[in-house]
Amino acid sequence: QVQLVESGGGLVQVGGSLRLSCAASGTIFSINAMGWYRQAPGKQRELVAIISSDGNMNYADSVKGRFTISRDAAKNTVYLEMNSLKPEDTAIYYCNVKYLGRVYWGQGTQVTVSS
């Protein structure tokens, strides 16, 4: 089975930056897509960014121009570079992987942006 290990969350001030990492372990070949979702208290989980196997990237409107998703295929790792952070970015961020018809989720990493 695929296991996802997330890291990089923490506390940052408004305007600061963080980089989230998610490493997929196990015997994995040709992952269909990797991405990030987030969930704030009292809200539904929402898409932040996705990168497909062909390198196509999609972002939520709220993070366009501030966040960048990237992938290291050799390490089966996806990154989320978060810049110009705002208080509304505060949420638990979850790594998501689609592989062989299944969806896998990480345990989540907390990002808190303080003003």
Side-chain angles (χ1 to χ4, degrees):
Q1 294 184 330
V2 175
Q3 294 182 327
L4 306 178
V5 179
E6 299 154 309
S7 62
L11 176 65
V12 65
Q13 292 186 344
V14 171
S17 299
L18 286 173
R19 189 180 76 162
L20 306 183
S21 299
C22 174
S25 62
T27 303
I28 304 170
F29 300 96
S30 188
I31 291 176
N32 298 115
M34 303 182 75
W36 293 93
Y37 289 70
R38 67 185 181 186
Q39 187 168 19
K43 295 186 177 181
Q44 296 296 114
R45 190 171 299 185
E46 64 178 353
L47 172 69
V48 177
I50 290 178
I51 184 167
S52 65
S53 59
D54 62 1
N56 183 252
M57 295 172 284
N58 290 285
Y59 297 91
D61 289 341
S62 60
V63 306
K64 286 181 179 178
R66 299 188 299 118
F67 292 9
T68 302
I69 189 169
S70 61
R71 179 180 177 180
D72 186 335
K75 297 181 179 180
N76 285 319
T77 300
V78 64
Y79 305 93
L80 185 68
E81 183 71 34
M82 309 165 69
N83 300 310
S84 301
L85 284 163
K86 305 174 181 179
E88 50 264 44
D89 294 318
T90 296
I92 301 174
Y93 285 70
Y94 296 92
C95 181
N96 173 271
V97 167
K98 297 179 176 64
Y99 180 62
L100 297 180
R102 291 190 175 189
V103 178
Y104 299 87
W105 293 96
Q107 293 299 307
T109 184
Q110 178 70 48
V111 172
T112 302
V113 184
S114 65
S115 59

